[in-house]
Amino acid sequence: MNKDQLQPPLLNYDVKTKPTNVIVSQSNNPSKADILVTILPNTDVKCQYISVVVPLGEQSSDLFIKDPMPTARSSNSDWEPSHANVVGMGQDAGNDYQMYLFKHTAEDMTVDSAVTFTVSGTVNQKTGKAAIEVREMSCQQAESNFVVRGKSYDITKTGDEAFFLNNVVMVYTDTPGIPAPFLDKSRSLQLKWQSNGQYYRVYDGTKTDPINQGTNPWYDITAGLTTDTAFIIEATSGEQILYQEYVARVSSPDLTVDHLTAKNTVTGLAGFFTDSLNSAGKTFITDAAITTLSATGSTDLTKGTITAFGSESKLATGQYIVGKSYKAVSDGFVIASITPSYSSPEEGSIYVVNVTYENNIYSASGARTRFGQECNTVTVPIRKDGVFTISADRQDGASNNVDGTATFYWMGLGNGIPVEQSQKSEGNQFSEKLKADFKAHQNARQLKALSFVTALEKAFEKPLQDKVKEELIENLLKL
């Protein structure tokens, strides 16, 4: 039966391809495709057989190649593949066609459920249009005379689709489909791209191996990002490779700076910690922890609020304070203050506080006069690792009739309280210093005596014996 003589079908068909664009094969890259023929239910129609006739060969009007032979399957158990010889269902199409026949197993032959027949094969290498046929042996429900009917459907074959990789974008996993240009820190993300590649690898520069790979055109970053990150996406198709770079920008990212050199104005260093910062222009630093700050020029600290003191402590307080020595762990100040509340009846009696530092004594006093009491304070700057001594008493030593009190405070420019030094340690230090001073003095005198003896030798133009010279020097040192 010639297809042009077939009556139109009673059933409705939906014919599609997968992929939508059927691509011809290349010599080194075969292209596969599926023909999906869906029959919609119609209880007013009875049907015994349905066939799908597909042209095979190497011509532009053919669809699939013969080797390997295309296969077919049914989605509904009411229809099963059949090898019956049913006249008019496609056997007359010739050697360049392959018929795929399906038999209706329902007893009443009523088409009361949908079914999809899928024919899968390898597309040939010629572009063009290939016509497939769908034939049915059917009749109306009220009839009993089954007739072969049919319809043709054109399948377009196109050339090899250009290999592409583009449209890389980052989205939040809780709001899919909405691009996120500036990312919240530590929020779950997905890196997506469009490509017709066969396999993908994602790199982020932290190591030579990919951080993700597979056939899916996306990469889930469930923990989100904390720093700006550059991703490289590699797509492969056969022997072809494409790359795309995507730089993810994070809002308020964590940042590690080994060395920052600024040649112009630097702003926005809020809450940053830096070991080395060089700025040839203006630098505005807000809330920054700076380990070491060295200024070779002028430093103006008057334009804002400056916090300089890191520690404070009351070292001692009382009426009579024997000398106590301390070693400073940072630069700072010792402040000695006299409280104006002593009741000595003796006019002219003096209460004294002392701070001894680097062989200097800094004092403050309070004196009894006929007008009442006079009091004073003294502040002494101390360098880091400097040793200082504090003491307080009435000047004449008669502390039993003095009610005044003294208080010594420490105000440090760094953290840490001065460490109290034992008297033994202080005495040893003083003893060693005396020994060193005495030795230096003796060496100086000996040099002077030797110079004198040498001058005598020159004056009398006669060298002295070594023993005589030693006796002269020894006698000179006794003077």
Side-chain angles (χ1 to χ4, degrees), residues 348-385:
S349 61
I350 299 176
Y351 185 74
V352 177
V353 293
N354 294 317
V355 178
T356 304
Y357 174 57
E358 293 185 345
N359 297 324
N360 294 314
I361 299 177
Y362 305 90
S363 302
S365 62
R368 171 72 181 179
T369 71
R370 56 193 179 90
F371 299 107
Q373 295 89 25
E374 292 179 353
C375 61
N376 209 340
T377 64
V378 63
T379 300
V380 182
I382 307 293
R383 290 184 180 276
K384 179 184 176 182
D385 297 328

Side-chain angles (χ1 to χ4, degrees), residues 121-140:
T122 302
V123 185
N124 65 22
Q125 298 184 28
K126 294 292 183 67
T127 61
K129 286 186 179 181
I132 70 165
E133 267 191 85
V134 179
R135 297 186 182 186
E136 64 181 44
M137 182 172 283
S138 62
C139 65
Q140 296 288 347

